[in-house]
Amino acid sequence: VAKKNLDQLRAVIARKAKRQVVLKLLSRVKEIFHWGKLPKLVAEGNLVNMEADINASLELFGSPFWADADENLGFKVHFPGRPAHRAEGLSGGQKGVFAVAFRMAINSLFGADIGMLWLDEPTAGLDEDNVSYLEGALTHLSAEVRDKRQIVVITHADQLRTAFDQVIEL
């Protein structure tokens, strides 16, 4: 009788241990798929997936920095020999170049490459050095995507004229 009771007690303990494992797993699944957390996890995954395309574009533009996604749904930028910092700390021209690289990565990620990139006043608020930086990046981009994509830029910055094959003046 004692052996039978002991065996029954062991079976109860084993079932309870299995239930606890399942409950922990369900709790973790609930935590991951919670309505407030799942969108963040998806967004984090998309940003990580965009890193390579963003950095390839930045390299194409001759950018002195590269970027990687961070846990706050943003990007850290890295300059050789300096500590990483948030992308918000970039200069105006660097932000403009980063924005173009980001837009190109979105096209690549979602397969929605319609062959056009529109930039409306990309030099707004930039000083001359940053306009020159953006002009250099757009020159590289224009040469790279020639016959593959159209870039339409609406600007008052005459300096950007040299970056493109065709200029329409209004």
Side-chain angles (χ1 to χ4, degrees), residues 10-23:
R10 285 184 180 144
V12 168
I13 291 171
R15 283 193 306 271
K16 187 174 182 178
K18 284 181 183 178
R19 270 191 235 129
Q20 288 197 344
V21 168
V22 169
L23 285 174

Side-chain angles (χ1 to χ4, degrees), residues 63-66 77-85 89-91 94 133:
S63 176
F65 64 92
W66 68 95
V77 292
H78 305 267
F79 288 83
R82 295 194 300 192
H85 61 82
L90 292 170
S91 72
Q94 291 165 338
Y133 179 72

Side-chain angles (χ1 to χ4, degrees), residues 1-9:
V1 172
K3 179 165 175 22
K4 184 178 176 183
N5 287 341
L6 185 59
D7 288 342
Q8 287 176 343
L9 185 58

Side-chain angles (χ1 to χ4, degrees), residues 42-53:
V42 170
E44 285 174 350
N46 285 335
L47 292 180
V48 167
N49 289 337
M50 292 169 61
E51 285 178 11
D53 287 337

Side-chain angles (χ1 to χ4, degrees), residues 68-93:
D68 56 9
D70 70 16
E71 66 281 351
N72 297 316
L73 300 182
F75 286 93
K76 294 266 188 194
V77 292
H78 305 267
F79 288 83
R82 295 194 300 192
H85 61 82
R86 297 204 31 93
E88 289 88 349
L90 292 170
S91 72

Side-chain angles (χ1 to χ4, degrees), residues 40 82 159:
K40 183 177 186 228
R82 295 194 300 192
Q159 185 175 351

